[in-house]
Amino acid sequence: LTGRRDGSSRFGPGKQFANFWATGVAWIFSSENFFKENLKFLSFGKIRGSYGITGNDLIGNYNYLDLYGQTNYPYQNQPSLFPVNLFNSDYSWEEIKKLDIALELGFLQNRILITTDWFKNKSSNQIINYSLPSQTGFNYVLKNFPGVVENSGFEFSLNTENIKGKTITWTTSFNITIENNKLLKFPGLETSSYADTYIIGKPLNASIGPEYLGVDPVTGVYQYLDKNKNPTFNPSTEDNVYFGTTDPKFYGGIQNNFSYKNFQLSILFEFRKQMGIDPVFGNLNIAGMQMNQPAEVLNRWQQPGDIAKYEQYTQTFSPAAISSFYIFNSSAKLTDASFCRLKNLSLSYSFPTKWIEKMKMKKCRLYIKGQNLFVITKYNGAYP
């Protein structure tokens, strides 16, 4: 059981201090006689859990004060000041409640170690830039907001000693994390300026926009689904839907370490299951603008009946021009960006002691190392 009282000068007078606490318990059940006698293959077993509250003060300094900036262009050679921050000393610590439960197991004299961990974190009393009407002279003011964000997930790790000999060893480490982020509470979301940005029960990094239907083979124009389930080239905000997030569904890695006499080899692969931004649909690189175009845009509609991925090109303010401005926020912008990457590869040789002692040295090692050597992915952009 722990308790702490934290203070931060980033908050105003009377709001600088806050109390936080945590409690945890663990039981090494493999030390009990019952498990020693009946589960002899189990060399280590531990269950643990914890719950606590911690604080967040990751904001700028002096933001609760009236702040002024210096103008870039002096008047009559005299510099002047202008207000850049509105006084507000009422906001205080953001709170994060953390719950964690884990099981640790060891087999075959701990040559196989497994850890499974479930966690749930809730962040409340959010410190946000609260939007203000422009007539106040400021775009926003810092304040605590009664929104609640939840991050929960599952972590799994496996460590094994596959070969343990006098001249050769081989160990493997594997881990994977499945994580979920969602907005639990946002009072007045529907009537706020964030109504088109956040959805209760969905990730903060939500993608919201019209549902993309493809290119109409008759007209050569991008089509979207409106709220009445009809195709349209000019959707409104009422037609917007949630269609995904670029947050990874899961991610992890696997590392193998080999050694033979004085040689050592280490290989680390990283993998991730995720959606990413389409290199064409998700970027503002409309044909005709002064920027390079990917070769994919050659697969465009040119005449009635064409089944193409991209709409017709036009020089006029036509339906094609109108529909193209919605493509960047539509469901077309997300594409599969999952990958498996060889993140690290290292090969080394340690010179024998009897060799290097003759050169008055204690240690000498020769190695070659590579990073990000190749990526396996279906993503058609520069990098996933």
Side-chain angles (χ1 to χ4, degrees):
L1 178 65
T2 64
R4 57 187 293 157
R5 180 169 174 80
D6 289 340
S8 174
S9 59
R10 290 175 171 173
F11 303 112
K15 301 290 185 178
Q16 295 178 335
F17 294 91
N19 300 320
F20 305 104
W21 62 271
T23 182
V25 62
W27 177 34
I28 304 178
F29 57 85
S30 58
S31 297
E32 306 293 341
N33 291 330
F34 174 81
F35 293 96
K36 288 181 178 180
E37 296 173 358
N38 296 280
L39 299 176
K40 295 183 179 181
F41 61 90
L42 184 68
S43 53
F44 180 78
K46 178 181 178 181
I47 186 170
R48 54 180 169 84
S50 64
Y51 179 79
I53 302 176
T54 186
N56 177 24
D57 69 336
L58 297 180
I59 56 176
N61 298 324
Y62 311 115
N63 279 326
Y64 66 91
L65 296 173
D66 282 318
L67 298 181
Y68 291 81
Q70 183 172 313
T71 55
N72 294 325
Y73 306 102
Y75 177 70
Q76 294 183 348
N77 295 322
Q78 295 296 321
S80 58
L81 302 176
F82 66 97
V84 296
N85 194 75
L86 190 62
F87 175 82
N88 178 27
S89 62
D90 290 334
Y91 62 88
S92 59
W93 288 84
E94 183 176 315
E95 291 186 348
I96 304 172
K97 299 178 180 178
K98 296 174 174 283
L99 175 63
D100 183 273
I101 300 174
L103 175 65
E104 301 176 20
L105 298 174
F107 304 92
L108 304 178
Q109 301 303 314
N110 292 341
R111 291 187 62 176
I112 300 176
L113 292 173
I114 299 174
T115 300
T116 56
D117 194 306
W118 175 85
F119 63 91
K120 178 181 287 187
N121 302 333
K122 288 186 179 181
S123 177
S124 60
N125 207 31
Q126 305 279 340
I127 304 175
I128 68 168
N129 290 322
Y130 187 77
S131 299
L132 295 177
S134 58
Q135 57 264 33
T136 63
F138 300 89
N139 294 324
Y140 60 85
V141 63
L142 276 178
K143 66 172 291 185
N144 288 113
F145 191 78
V148 178
V149 178
E150 179 183 277
N151 292 284
S152 60
F154 172 81
E155 294 178 339
F156 174 83
S157 66
L158 171 67
N159 295 277
T160 63
E161 290 184 352
N162 307 312
I163 299 176
K164 187 178 181 181
K166 292 182 179 180
T167 59
I168 184 171
T169 63
W170 171 26
T171 62
T172 301
S173 299
F174 170 81
N175 70 85
I176 186 172
T177 298
I178 303 171
E179 205 168 12
N180 183 38
N181 165 266
K182 61 183 177 181
L183 178 64
L184 294 184
K185 183 181 178 182
F186 192 132
L189 174 61
E190 296 79 6
T191 57
S192 72
S193 59
Y194 301 99
D196 295 328
T197 306
Y198 300 124
I199 299 177
I200 300 296
K202 300 298 183 182
L204 290 183
N205 190 21
S207 294
I208 303 172
E211 183 177 346
Y212 176 65
L213 296 178
V215 178
D216 187 340
V218 177
T219 63
V221 177
Y222 291 139
Q223 297 290 302
Y224 310 93
L225 191 66
D226 66 15
K227 63 180 181 180
N228 297 318
K229 305 301 180 182
N230 296 317
T232 178
F233 68 88
N234 189 16
S236 66
T237 55
E238 295 181 352
D239 302 324
N240 288 348
V241 295
Y242 169 78
F243 53 82
T245 177
T246 54
D247 294 341
K249 292 184 177 180
F250 61 82
Y251 56 90
I254 181 170
Q255 181 170 4
N256 283 281
N257 295 309
F258 305 90
S259 69
Y260 175 70
K261 295 184 177 180
N262 291 354
F263 288 93
Q264 296 88 34
L265 175 65
S266 178
I267 305 173
L268 172 61
F269 283 93
E270 175 192 15
F271 59 87
R272 183 173 298 188
K273 176 66 175 178
Q274 64 179 8
M275 301 296 288
I277 302 300
D278 187 274
V280 178
F281 288 140
N283 295 284
L284 192 63
N285 56 356
I286 302 174
M289 299 183 70
Q290 292 182 346
M291 59 178 63
N292 290 334
Q293 302 293 313
E296 282 194 344
V297 300
L298 295 175
N299 181 19
R300 69 187 190 279
W301 187 94
Q302 299 184 59
Q303 60 185 3
D306 283 351
I307 305 299
K309 186 176 181 179
Y310 305 106
E311 69 175 1
Q312 62 169 295
Y313 286 175
T314 179
Q315 292 179 303
T316 63
F317 195 68
S318 63
I322 296 174
S323 67
S324 66
F325 284 102
Y326 298 101
I327 196 71
F328 313 108
N329 291 320
S330 74
S331 59
K333 78 173 186 179
L334 290 188
T335 185
D336 187 4
S338 304
F339 67 88
C340 180
R341 172 172 58 184
L342 179 54
K343 190 172 184 179
N344 293 102
L345 177 64
S346 175
L347 176 63
S348 66
Y349 175 76
S350 298
F351 288 90
T353 304
K354 61 181 180 180
W355 291 8
I356 61 177
E357 283 181 347
K358 296 179 180 180
M359 296 181 287
K360 307 300 182 181
M361 300 170 63
K362 291 187 176 181
K363 187 176 182 180
C364 184
R365 180 168 166 260
L366 179 68
Y367 68 88
I368 182 171
K369 182 184 294 185
Q371 293 182 322
N372 302 334
L373 297 181
F374 67 83
V375 178
I376 302 173
T377 182
K378 293 181 179 180
Y379 186 65
N380 56 359
Y383 204 62

